[in-house]
Amino acid sequence: MFTSCSKEEDATNFITLDEYAPSIIGKYIVYDLDSTKFINFGTKDTVISYQVKLEVDGMMTDNLDRPAYRIARYIRKTAADPWVSDYHTFMMVKTISSVEFIENNMRFLKLKFPIKNDFTWKGNAFIDTYSPESEVRYLEDWDYTYENVNEPLTLGSYTFDSTLTVNQRNEIINDPSNHNVYSEINIGIEKYAKGIGMVYRNFLHREYQPPTPGESDGYALGYGITMTMIDHN
């Protein structure tokens, strides 16, 4: 048993961040994206489906004056439609020990070395979740944890030889089916394939406020995203 554990540990010591987050200019990944939104002031949830392409299109520097890869986003409704830029860009910064992803001025520690099962880190440590003005307090103190490192995965029509899973959050506060009490759901999970990058993402934040007698009805707030890779180069 000890020999087996030692061999597994030796194997993961050779896994680099670059293997699961390649950053060649011109590289792209296309996803089917399902976006969950709460409309009519949260009385109804709806799912909007479309396709997005994330493409590494150049270099820039972040606000710490570090080299960063600029990632452009393109959107279309179906595969028959042309790609249209929504002028939304992200940044990816690679350090010796981590891969950072900057989105909407929030810096996420998406991957961190060493890549091995059960390794945990604070993925949202650089995000303001504590000030009175913060609108993302629900992101506080998330423990990102590796699972299924270097394991195969079948996703749609693709079969990947080596992947890893990053479990970010799986939290349910109170009973979401009870519309008389406050409830909250926070889910975050991402999967990465070697030589490709992120191939799957599931994120959901939902808060339910119960009705106030004589004043308001109950309502839900939040959003959700599911991204499944359907193409890449």
Side-chain angles (χ1 to χ4, degrees):
M1 179 180 69
F2 294 132
T3 301
S4 175
C5 290
S6 178
K7 286 181 179 178
E8 180 182 349
E9 204 168 288
D10 288 343
T12 58
N13 284 339
F14 289 103
I15 298 175
T16 66
L17 295 171
D18 271 333
E19 293 181 76
Y20 285 99
S23 51
I24 302 170
I25 294 177
K27 177 171 180 56
Y28 66 80
I29 303 178
V30 179
Y31 303 91
D32 275 336
L33 190 150
D34 294 328
S35 175
T36 301
K37 296 182 178 181
F38 299 94
I39 59 176
N40 296 332
F41 200 56
T43 58
K44 180 182 178 182
D45 64 288
T46 185
V47 176
I48 302 171
S49 298
Y50 49 99
Q51 293 182 349
V52 296
K53 178 170 70 171
L54 300 183
E55 181 174 354
V56 181
D57 76 342
M59 297 291 298
M60 59 191 306
T61 56
D62 70 356
N63 58 358
L64 299 176
D65 204 31
R66 301 176 302 173
Y69 294 92
R70 183 177 62 239
I71 301 174
R73 185 171 70 182
Y74 302 88
I75 294 179
R76 65 186 181 188
K77 184 62 179 176
T78 69
D81 300 318
W83 288 113
V84 178
S85 172
D86 68 350
Y87 303 102
H88 196 101
T89 60
F90 310 95
M91 283 192 293
M92 180 168 62
V93 178
K94 291 184 178 180
T95 70
I96 295 175
S97 61
S98 66
V99 173
E100 302 175 11
F101 197 81
I102 296 89
E103 177 180 1
N104 296 326
N105 295 318
M106 294 189 293
R107 181 154 51 114
F108 297 87
L109 284 172
K110 292 287 190 174
L111 300 173
K112 194 165 177 62
F113 193 80
I115 298 178
K116 60 181 182 180
N117 285 323
D118 301 322
F119 179 72
T120 298
W121 68 99
K122 299 295 184 182
N124 302 340
F126 295 112
I127 298 173
D128 175 16
T129 60
Y130 45 83
S131 72
E133 298 80 16
S134 175
E135 297 180 353
V136 290
R137 294 187 181 183
Y138 58 89
L139 294 175
E140 183 177 0
D141 203 36
W142 283 27
D143 290 314
Y144 288 26
T145 306
Y146 285 131
E147 182 182 54
N148 300 326
V149 171
N150 209 24
E151 294 290 333
L153 171 71
T154 297
L155 191 66
S157 61
Y158 284 92
T159 297
F160 309 104
D161 294 332
S162 179
T163 66
L164 61 81
T165 298
V166 180
N167 289 312
Q168 301 169 341
R169 196 71 157 183
N170 187 7
E171 176 184 52
I172 298 178
I173 299 173
N174 294 330
D175 181 2
S177 66
N178 186 346
H179 292 173
N180 295 312
V181 299
Y182 172 86
S183 64
E184 186 173 338
I185 302 174
N186 293 302
I187 295 172
I189 182 172
E190 293 180 351
K191 297 179 185 289
Y192 293 78
K194 185 179 289 187
I196 298 175
M198 189 186 75
V199 295
Y200 177 81
R201 181 189 183 197
N202 182 23
F203 178 91
L204 175 64
H205 168 65
R206 177 186 181 273
E207 294 181 38
Y208 176 77
Q209 296 288 350
T212 302
E215 294 185 15
S216 68
D217 297 327
Y219 62 92
L221 297 172
Y223 68 102
I225 292 175
T226 301
M227 300 172 66
T228 305
M229 193 203 80
I230 56 172
D231 191 19
H232 73 96
N233 66 350

